[in-house]
């Protein structure tokens, strides 16, 4: 009869595990100890795959250096390939937030790989005499070099979807900038009427912001390509053979597709998390600027009749359970909230980085959880913003032009001709009389209608060609 349970033993005692489970006793203890978020490693496949890539690189390096026999090494490598194909991810059950500087995560990976290798060798699960989680899968390694290396690899892997989403948003904003290039409107500072501009200029500014963020995220991601693999416990390389670090990192570069390098000082690199801090800061900057764009979209679309109403956002859903016909800017609103989460995550990462002590930072689990969460939700938010909002934005041309005609901002264009004081007097009179600046100028007989038309046209065309000598109208 098939056994329902198997017994595993560690130096703390023994535990009974379901006979067919792929993880072992240390993972089971971690499940009991860390019921924190309810979010297991399996919900971040990019991290699972990064860890498994590290394990594969290490076992192949150990095989090449004759630190492990080919039979075990090939079985371990094949087990890694099975996981990398997408299988067995449900066996990665440890909570993302945990004590122990990632040891529970590392052991979850070690135990699953060991048991898969045992299965390939037709040995019972848990029969670690033949393939041991520590002695074979974790050979020449420590959590303290495996886990930080895998974190960096996971973040690098998740960069591509984020940057792709940013690039699509940039292209969509550029397209809108071209569509709106002739739509004249009021430019504002401090929410007050300032100078004329086009709606296209406004959207081109949004596009430029996103383009700059792409460059910054890309730049900061390069810092993550320096790893401490081979440093083992604190960076001294204890229990690793000579030449292991360089060979393992070369192997990992081949497996992952990223051009990785060994840190020049492995002791420093084992405790240092500054690359994660810098990358998180880039995510925060992106979130702040993205949120500002969404604030502007909400303002520009406000009303639609009692607000600015210069643009129309796509109507995605009814906006009220009591007010018929109301439609809210729900997509920019959700992106705002994602930005707030990313900003908060960055603070958590900064505090965790500061908490490092001596030769290790034990707070890396909360750091990787927050960085990967930030990247995941921001990638999705940008996709939603692009497809369900920006792509469908329409200009309210009549509203833009009407508000521009009603303002006194053309007075700015009169400053080079009449001087600041006279232009300010005209603007004040225009407001007091509820007139346009053009109407006030003509009433005062300051310049001919033809000259005023020329000044206005040049101002709206954003041309600096006016005669700047005061009074030359």
């Amino acid at each position: 009869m098939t056994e329902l349970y198997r017994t595993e033993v560690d130096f703390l005692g023994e535990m009974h595990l379901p006979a067919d489970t792929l993880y072992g006793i240390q993972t089971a203890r971690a499940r009991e100890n860390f019921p924190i978020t309810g979010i297991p490693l399996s919900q971040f496949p990019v991290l699972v795959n990064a860890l498994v890539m590290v394990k594969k690189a290490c076992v192949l390096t150990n095989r090449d250096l004759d630190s492990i026999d080919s039979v075990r090494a090939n079985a371990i490598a094949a087990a890694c390939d099975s996981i990398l194909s997408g299988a067995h991810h449900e066996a990665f059950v440890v909570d993302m937030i945990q004590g122990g500087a990632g040891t529970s995560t590392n052991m979850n990976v070690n135990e699953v790989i060991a048991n898969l290798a045992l299965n390939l060798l037709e040995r019972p699960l848990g029969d670690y005499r033949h393939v041991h989680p520590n002695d074979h899968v974790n050979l020449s390694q420590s959590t303290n070099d495996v886990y930080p290396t895998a974190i960096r690899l996971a973040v690098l892997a998740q960069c591509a979807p984020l940057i792709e989403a940013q690039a699509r948003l940039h292209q969509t904003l550029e397209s809108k900038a071209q569509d709106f290039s002739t739509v004249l409107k009021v430019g504002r500072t401090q929410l007050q009427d300032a100078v004329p501009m086009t709606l296209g200029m406004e959207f081109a500014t949004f596009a430029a912001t996103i383009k700059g963020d792409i460059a910054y995220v890309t730049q900061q991601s390069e810092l993550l390509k320096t790893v401490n693999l081979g440093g083992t416990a604190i960076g001294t390389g204890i229990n690793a053979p000579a030449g292991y670090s360089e060979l393992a990192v070369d192997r990992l570069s081949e497996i992952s597709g990223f051009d990785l390098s060994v840190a020049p000082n492995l002791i420093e690199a084992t405790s240092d998390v500054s690359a994660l801090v810098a990358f998180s800061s880039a995510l925060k900057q992106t979130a702040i600027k993205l949120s500002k764009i969404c604030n502007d979209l909400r303002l520009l679309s406000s009303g639609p009749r009692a607000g600015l109403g210069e643009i129309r956002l796509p109507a995605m859903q009814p906006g009220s359970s009591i007010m018929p016909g109301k439609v809210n800017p729900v997509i920019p609103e959700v992106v705002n909230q994602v930005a707030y989460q990313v900003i908060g995550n960055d603070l958590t990462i900064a505090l965790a980085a500061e908490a490092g002590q001596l030769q290790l930072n034990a707070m890396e689990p909360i750091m990787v959880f927050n960085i990967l969460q930030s990247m995941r939700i921001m990638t999705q938010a940008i996709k939603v913003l692009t497809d369900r909002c920006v792509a469908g934005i329409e200009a309210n041309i009549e509203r833009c032009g009407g508000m521009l005609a009603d303002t006194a901002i053309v007075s700015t264009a009169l400053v080079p001709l009449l001087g600041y004081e006279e232009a300010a007097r005209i603007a004040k009179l225009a407001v007091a009389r509820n007139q346009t600046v053009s109407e006030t100028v003509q009433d005062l007989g300051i310049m001919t209608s033809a000259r005023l038309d020329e000044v206005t046209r040049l101002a709206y065309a954003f041309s600096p060609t006016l005669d700047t000598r005061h009074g030359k109208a």
Side-chain angles (χ1 to χ4, degrees), residues 53-62 64-65 149 153 225-230 242-263 266:
M53 287 180 189
V54 172
K55 295 297 175 180
K56 182 178 179 180
C58 291
V59 76
L60 293 178
T61 302
N62 281 317
D64 294 345
L65 294 174
T149 297
L153 198 58
K225 294 181 179 179
T226 300
V227 299
N228 72 324
L229 189 61
Y244 171 85
S245 185
E246 290 75 13
L247 290 174
V249 171
D250 286 346
R251 278 281 191 179
L252 185 56
S253 296
E254 294 173 8
I255 293 168
S256 68
F258 294 106
D259 185 17
L260 308 174
S261 62
V262 180
L266 289 175

Side-chain angles (χ1 to χ4, degrees), residues 22 52 55-60 62-63 68-84 88 109-123 125 127 129-132 136-138:
L22 288 175
V52 173
K55 295 297 175 180
K56 182 178 179 180
C58 291
V59 76
L60 293 178
N62 281 317
R63 184 192 65 184
I68 189 173
D69 63 274
S70 294
V71 173
R72 286 191 176 96
N74 293 341
I76 290 171
C80 291
D81 287 338
S82 178
I83 297 168
L84 292 173
H88 314 299
V109 175
N110 288 333
E111 289 174 343
V112 171
I113 292 174
N115 280 308
L116 286 172
L118 287 169
N119 190 54
L120 290 169
L121 295 173
E122 299 183 347
R123 300 287 184 177
L125 301 184
D127 188 2
R129 295 171 299 171
H130 301 282
V131 180
H132 195 280
H136 301 125
V137 182
N138 201 62

